[in-house]
Amino acid sequence: MTAIAHSAVSVHRARTLQDALDQLSQAPLQLLAGGTDIMVEANHGGLRGRHFLDISGLGSELGGHSWLPDGALRIGALCTYAQLQADARAQAELPMLMAASRLVGATQIQSRGTYAGNVENGSPAADAAPALLALDAVVELRSLAGTRTVPLAHYYTGYRSTARRSDELISALIVPKPDGGVSCQFFRKVGTRAFQAITKVGLSARIVWQGGQITDARIVATSMAATICRAHHIENALRGLSDIDAAAKSALRRAQDADLRPMDDVRSSADYRAEVFHRLVLQAASETRPS
Amino acid sequence: MPDGNQLSKDHRVGKSIPRPDAKVKVTGALHYVDDLPFEGLYGATVRTKTARGRMTGLRFKDGVDVGVDWREFAVVTANDIPRTSKLDGIDPNQVMLIDRDQPFLVRDEFRHVGEPVCLLAHPDPEVLRRAVDLVEIKTESLPAVLDYRQPPTDAQVQRGEPGPDANLFKRIVVSKGAADEGDDAFSKVFEDAAHIVSGTYETQAQEQCYIEPNGIIARVEVSEADAQGALWPANPWKLIIEGSMQCPYYVHKAITHLFQLPDDGVQIIQAATGGGFGGKEDYPSIISGHAGLLALKTRQPVKLIYDRVEDMAFTTKRHPSRTHLRAALDADGKLLGIDMDVTLDGGAYLTLSPVVLSRGAIHAVGPYRVPHVRVHNRAVLSNTPPHGAFRGFGAPQTVFAFERHLDRCAREVGIDPVELRRRNLIIRGDALAISQRIDEPIELHKWMDEALTAGKYEERRAAHAAFNEAAETSGSPLRRGVGVATFMHGAGFTGSGEDYLASEVMIRAAVGADGLGGVEVCTANTEIGQGAITIFTQIAADALGLPLSAVQIAKPDTDQVPNSGPTVASRTSMVVGHLVARASDDLVRKLESQGTLSDGDLHPNPDDDRASALSDARGRKFEPTALRGALATAAAQDGGALEGWATYQRPPGGKWNDVTYKGIAYGTYAWATYLADVEVDLTTFETRITDFVASQEIGRVLNPLLAEGQIQGGVVQAMGWALLEDTVYKDGRITNPNMTNYVVPTFADVPDVQVLFQESPYAYGPWGAKGIGELPMDGPAPAILNAISAAVGVEIDALPASPERVMRAVLAAQSSEVSS
């Protein structure tokens, strides 16, 4: 291999899922589906020396989405934001995921980008992955060794690292039918501007109210840690609350400090993230409360 | 000069004629510099990595493993440039602008991150990019100024001596009334005032974000004897520069100096240019020098194009500023005195900072009658890339501070901010802070009221008060506010600037595409998206009474067009457009005097609607068919086509005094009131601009669609500055030089911008037109921040009014309320 070839980009285009799994079993390759995160790096020469497995042609095996008999949604690895947004049932049952999908980049990005890619990319500022996490989604992984599933809640092992082995690819994401109906779903992204923005702080929540008190909660934070993550202390502090009074607010803030230590970066600051996330939690609790 | 506001119906001026350059732009057929057919080498720039130091050496690291073979490269450093020019004895390695402190290539000391040290050329741009990373610059570090607001330590002084003038680029003092008499008299104004209101205001650097990054192609023509051998040719040679730029003759001046060439040894050609906003005023001179050096070294064409990151990280931006303001008012809210202290961050070299400072100083106190004024202005050095020209050119910074301060004053006095403005706006015959008496027929109160009516100011004030009170009660996080800014912008160069420029325009008889006689308009003013080609076409057609199709606009090329000055300072339509009309007159007079046109060709019903007080509408007196015939004859005459010329002539009236900073700073001003309506969400502290009205008096609207676009574009650019755009520096290095993290507004972030024009024709602009390019950059930021401050009940005094900044101000006010 010459020096120049060594530093060039290589792309292997998978013909079938079997071919893709064969390739992955032989060498670690970076998966390329929608390419919307990868192409950004290409602008700055950042792809030099990297090797890709292009699975974008495997639509017949990995594309589309389907509703399972138990009401769960199965999102194929190549299902795009635009495709799922065109599904009326998704719009009706999963408003938080649809709200997140609408805020991914622009129309062009939504037409190319995939949910699985968003999950695997592992950005702490991801748009769709936090909504999926708040919906208790499960990641389905395929390799020559077979299929296994990992709850999204356990999928991230660190900054941009995941539980996927190098011989595996995400074949689907499975979103169980959510408890509590649509009124308990809350999604709010605070970006650097209205659209085409990266999240400075975001909350994806499911807060279930029953008999005047909160009985269950999923609180997922975006851009508040090295990965998107659940805020378990906040979830615990919410459970059992019937009134968001001053004491509850300060308990929630203390819980947040135990869960999340946001950072300063080029887009925002730790103090802003902490303050606004707290306010978003209060807003979510208030807006999900049955009137 | 037009009589009243109405133009006769056959005029092209005043109508939204389509842009002659629209089709090639919309279809993509137009070639920008990177699209031009090119065979040659690619150039790249190796830059310093730290804010200040001394270069001790260069090392070209082995690059075999990444395909870099140094034998294939041309390398240029400062050592290739002689230390004294054979023409004038000055160091050629200095960018000729106002001062000569900035080198093309670092010889020894460097003063900012990204300063050019070494140039590389190679046939393969990809290999070239890898090579840049392999050049190691050995340095010794020196203490850098990373915050322009702090006085420098002795070791940080890089200009002047330690003391009050350390690192000072320029100081300007505007003074009026008691301030002219001395400190005691001026202090007394404040001692006697019913109210003294103080505030401090800050603005940040802003990137121009033109769509097309900077880029230049350089070619050399050398004699056969010089084809090989020494870098610097022994025989006469020529350097040809083509690229993206606003000011071909600025590049010409810089390049003749660097290459020690006579004027005709350098040819500068403007390629189609995808936006400038000031960002391509002076910086293309540096890139041209670099591309030229590589072309000279290799005797081959060299293309040097910046990518977005390089362009954003290292080329010029708007000057950051800090302003302390103290106002003295009487019990009724009448301004008695203004004491203002403005500091601009010039960056590492002087570049254009003195003139940016000057424009800021002159616009600082706005269209208000203030008897006693002192505005102390300083531009200082810091170790960042130099800040430079950007639409507004110093005025947006001081207008922001002043207009923000008026709202604070109004709250202190206890009257509505609009009422405070109404009590202080000038009327005809009043003088500005620079003692320039405004004798043109202004009606600022009426014009302001028209803007307020269009923006439903009174209704909104009342509705927002009720809305905010209800929100407070219900716990809703939304707050609403409306804010206003009233301001002016002087068009053309400041003071005596236009006299020094002595711009010239030439109009040549030509044969059009239809085979009939017409004209070619030759100016050095560039089409950069603003519509210069369209406006010049309209003006020449109207001055001559010819159809639009009879007018062609020459490509700006210093071998072909006279120096009509730079495309900056809102001067193209007003100053150069006026010269186009006068050169048209000259051409017709020459046709008459040489007998090509005769009395028999006179129009039976001549239209003598003159373009200005200095033009005679000669062409409009002739029958168009006869005129076109005469032009066709004159185009084909022996010795070259007949040319009409015009040279800048200062309008009658007073002069400007550069020492006292008093007098006629600008021949005229455009006057404006802008209104912003906002909603702030106290959950996220985000601001949404819900409505915006931009109302201005601009003399004459030459092309309504272009003028509206110019205003809307400027307003949106200013909205970005007001709310979103921020340059983040760490150790003198910008950390967000990309469109992902340097956030400009999209359509979703801005409301529809309602544009209103008033017309009070200016006697020395073409058909009364004043310049409008920069005006819309001045007013939006203070109007928006006034609205936010009204909405949240806390003064927001720095830009951008990001959610983070609004949050801190609101929380700080809440905690001080709790503690007090």
Side-chain angles (χ1 to χ4, degrees), chain B residues 88 90 94-100 104 250 253-254 257:
Chain B
D88 55 15
I90 299 170
Q94 292 172 330
V95 184
M96 283 294 240
L97 206 54
I98 293 172
D99 198 358
R100 299 192 308 261
F104 280 94
Y250 278 7
K253 180 180 170 189
H257 175 69

Side-chain angles (χ1 to χ4, degrees), chain A residues 28-71:
Chain A
L29 297 168
Q30 187 172 359
L31 291 155
L32 191 156
T36 53
D37 284 302
I38 289 164
M39 294 316 288
V40 175
E41 300 175 58
N43 278 334
H44 309 304
L47 302 185
R48 204 190 303 165
R50 285 162 59 178
H51 305 287
F52 293 94
L53 178 63
D54 177 5
I55 58 168
S56 63
L58 306 184
S60 60
E61 291 170 282
L62 297 175
H65 66 279
S66 55
W67 296 92
L68 305 180
D70 64 352

Side-chain angles (χ1 to χ4, degrees), chain B residues 424-488:
Chain B
N424 290 286
L425 280 174
I426 58 167
I427 58 169
R428 188 176 187 176
D430 281 342
L432 301 174
I434 48 162
S435 304
Q436 176 174 1
R437 219 176 81 132
I438 302 299
D439 289 322
E440 58 178 297
I442 52 166
E443 297 176 274
L444 302 188
H445 295 81
K446 178 171 158 249
W447 295 335
M448 183 173 81
D449 284 340
E450 286 175 23
L452 298 176
T453 304
K456 301 185 181 70
Y457 178 78
E458 294 299 337
E459 295 96 305
R460 283 185 203 272
R461 287 267 299 174
H464 293 348
F467 178 90
N468 292 342
E469 202 181 306
E472 195 84 46
T473 314
S474 73
S476 158
L478 303 181
R479 299 289 183 277
R480 292 177 180 167
V482 59
V484 164
T486 301
F487 57 101
M488 78 231 182

Side-chain angles (χ1 to χ4, degrees), chain B residues 172-233:
Chain B
I172 291 171
V173 179
V174 172
S175 165
K176 184 186 176 195
D180 282 337
E181 294 162 29
D183 289 348
D184 290 348
F186 192 55
S187 297
K188 184 118 188 1
V189 173
F190 285 79
E191 284 160 21
D192 296 346
H195 302 278
I196 297 174
V197 184
S198 301
T200 295
Y201 306 90
E202 294 194 342
T203 67
Q204 80 285 26
Q206 185 185 21
E207 162 63 28
Q208 292 87 356
C209 270
Y210 25 69
I211 289 178
E212 179 210 23
N214 273 286
I216 295 288
I217 291 172
R219 295 181 171 82
V220 291
E221 288 174 1
V222 296
S223 65
E224 213 152 296
D226 288 317
Q228 306 280 325
L231 173 64
W232 293 87

Side-chain angles (χ1 to χ4, degrees), chain A residues 3-4 7 44-45 48 188 190-195 198 200 266-269 271-272 275-276 279-280 283, chain B residues 64-65 67 130 309 681-686 724 735-736 740-741 743-744 746 748-749 803-804 807-808 811:
Chain A
I4 289 176
S7 63
H44 309 304
R48 204 190 303 165
R188 188 154 181 196
V190 182
T192 49
R193 64 185 161 207
F195 282 93
I198 296 177
K200 295 197 291 194
V266 70
R267 292 185 198 112
S268 190
S269 60
D271 64 336
Y272 178 80
E275 179 67 33
V276 170
R279 288 171 185 240
L280 292 177
Q283 187 188 18
Chain B
V64 173
D65 57 336
R130 284 176 229 154
V309 171
D681 183 341
L682 293 178
T683 303
T684 62
F685 303 95
E686 292 170 298
L724 300 173
T735 57
N736 58 339
T740 306
N741 292 327
V743 181
V744 298
T746 73
D749 298 290
E804 288 80 358
M807 177 195 81
R808 282 177 205 132
L811 295 185

